[in-house]
Amino acid sequence: MSARLNVNIDHVATVRQARRAPEPSVVAAAMMCEQAGADGITIHLRGDRRHIIDNDLHALRQVVTTYLNVEMAATEEMLKIALDTLPDAVTLVAENPDEITTEGGLDVRSNLSVVRAAVSRFREANIISSLFIDPDPQQIEAAHEAGAQQVELCTAEYADATLGARANHTEGAMRAAQELRRLREAATLAKQYGLHVAAGHGLTYRNVGAVAAIAEIQEFNIGHNIVSRSIFIGLADAVREMREAIERQG
Ligand code: PXP
């Protein structure tokens, strides 16, 4: 069975916020993604609200019928919002106000007590806890110690290497193969700890297949490439194409 696909619709909100206009509607986008076969919807509520805003989360909680995953930093403000709106899952991420996008995994090892406390509050509220981490054995062990149900492996280094693989053939291809091996080993270890395994960041129609071939990875969170493609072929077809790329596994 192929991995589930949660479509990250942050950049639908990015277009809206560029004009502070009512359109495009993230609610309409979420419904269209679900109808096109997405297994869930992912949003990132950032501290600076640069794309998704609080009202979006409230509205999406009402309409998303598949699975709603909310990425957030482990701050008290965000924890309260999650406990108030009750998404199906929360993915804790590292957040830096100056970054263009999430720059890497959360350092769970160095923030173990904060993460463990957040996970325990989510568990009481029946919210699944996922931790966005680099494919690093120490972080996987820490995620297990924190009591999380899931890890999401950051695929940014792999994705970056695949872009390099096109620009500089041998060196880029070797780096991509190395990053893929790190992901495979991390996914195997996480599974051994009994964690569910997701992956995401920077994945595209071209590079997702090799990651989808890792049997331990059960879920993908993909946004930018789907929303980019949707400009040319429409959102529903963009979701279908990504689903097919995942199912092809290569
Ligand atoms: N997973 C996490 C934890 C993220 O922070 C992001 C970006 O918001 C994604 C997945 C999706 O990345 P992309 O937009 O590059 O597909």
Side-chain angles (χ1 to χ4, degrees):
M1 213 182 78
S2 74
R4 296 189 308 273
L5 170 63
N6 297 336
V7 179
N8 180 317
I9 57 171
D10 289 350
H11 297 305
V12 173
T14 300
V15 175
R16 181 194 63 198
Q17 293 307 97
R19 283 291 175 91
R20 305 276 189 278
E23 290 178 325
S25 155
V26 292
V27 165
M31 290 167 75
M32 189 170 273
C33 289
E34 287 187 314
Q35 280 162 12
D39 301 291
I41 300 296
T42 294
I43 52 171
H44 184 172
L45 186 68
R46 298 187 71 103
D48 62 10
R49 311 300 197 272
R50 70 170 77 152
H51 39 54
I52 295 293
I53 57 174
D54 301 56
N55 280 349
D56 294 330
L57 170 55
H58 291 286
L60 289 167
R61 180 58 299 182
Q62 300 299 314
V63 300
V64 169
T65 57
T66 51
Y67 184 82
L68 181 63
N69 171 37
V70 182
E71 300 169 3
M72 56 174 57
T75 61
E76 190 53 34
E77 179 204 12
M78 288 297 159
L79 261 55
K80 281 199 180 118
I81 292 172
L83 295 169
D84 185 35
T85 48
L86 301 176
D88 298 288
V90 164
T91 302
L92 293 178
V93 300
E95 203 174 286
N96 164 0
D98 299 325
E99 67 195 1
I100 293 175
T101 180
T102 313
E103 281 172 348
L106 180 65
D107 186 353
V108 183
R109 173 57 64 213
S110 306
N111 296 285
L112 190 58
S113 56
V114 172
V115 175
R116 189 188 271 141
V119 165
S120 142
R121 285 165 74 185
F122 292 146
R123 192 180 281 276
E124 276 170 28
N126 260 330
I127 300 172
I128 294 167
S129 298
S130 183
L131 306 179
F132 184 58
I133 57 169
D134 290 327
D136 169 351
Q138 281 201 27
Q139 296 298 338
I140 291 164
E141 207 174 275
H144 170 69
E145 284 173 38
Q149 286 106 319
Q150 177 170 301
V151 286
E152 179 176 343
L153 301 176
C154 177
T155 51
E157 291 289 332
Y158 161 74
D160 191 52
T162 62
L163 298 179
R166 287 215 303 278
N168 176 348
H169 219 68
T170 320
E171 199 188 312
M174 274 170 61
R175 224 188 106 212
Q178 200 180 346
E179 291 301 332
L180 198 57
R181 198 161 45 242
R182 274 181 78 202
L183 287 167
R184 195 177 302 115
E185 287 169 6
T188 306
L189 182 64
K191 189 86 188 286
Q192 282 165 4
Y193 274 115
L195 291 157
H196 285 252
V197 188
H201 209 284
L203 294 174
T204 69
Y205 297 88
R206 287 197 178 93
N207 67 20
V208 73
V211 187
I214 301 173
E216 287 80 8
I217 297 180
Q218 296 149 302
E219 175 187 302
F220 285 101
N221 289 289
I222 305 180
H224 187 269
N225 198 232
I226 295 175
V227 175
S228 301
R229 183 92 177 113
S230 76
I231 292 173
F232 301 104
I233 65 167
L235 187 54
D237 280 344
V239 171
R240 284 187 206 107
E241 276 192 5
M242 188 60 83
R243 270 240 64 94
E244 284 162 20
I246 290 170
E247 278 160 22
R248 245 181 276 123
Q249 299 189 358

